[in-house]
Amino acid sequence: MNDTTTFPPFPDRLSVDPRSPYYSAAVFEHEVGINLNGKERLEVEEYCISEGWIKVPAGKAVDRKGQPLMIKVKGAVEPFYR
């Protein structure tokens, strides 16, 4: 690729929820992908590289505020820009 733009570095922990303290608007200006144990995961809501987990929605279940319930999946987390 001949793309001359520089991408911001990935933080150790990142969330897609703007209300979260781990949200980073600079990272989401570009398309982000997550590999967990070598497989790309599309439904990731939050990740932590150092602790080795991602949070994904648990089906259609929602909490009392209407937010999806999350489950934690552990493994080797590798974020990348598409």
Side-chain angles (χ1 to χ4, degrees):
M1 293 182 159
N2 294 334
D3 195 350
T4 58
T5 60
T6 57
F7 298 116
F10 285 108
D12 179 55
R13 189 166 176 181
L14 184 66
S15 175
V16 297
D17 185 5
R19 298 173 294 160
S20 172
Y22 303 108
Y23 178 78
S24 175
V27 172
F28 289 115
E29 290 177 357
H30 311 284
E31 195 171 347
V32 176
I34 302 292
N35 282 336
L36 181 72
N37 295 332
K39 294 183 181 178
E40 186 173 0
R41 298 294 299 254
L42 302 175
E43 69 279 358
V44 176
E45 295 285 327
E46 186 174 350
Y47 75 78
C48 183
I49 297 171
S50 63
E51 295 177 11
W53 55 261
I54 61 171
K55 286 188 180 179
V56 295
K60 294 182 181 180
V62 294
D63 65 8
R64 63 181 179 211
K65 296 179 182 177
Q67 300 298 319
L69 292 178
M70 298 291 155
I71 58 173
K72 199 180 276 190
V73 181
K74 294 185 178 186
V77 179
E78 301 170 21
F80 63 93
Y81 289 109
R82 294 185 185 179

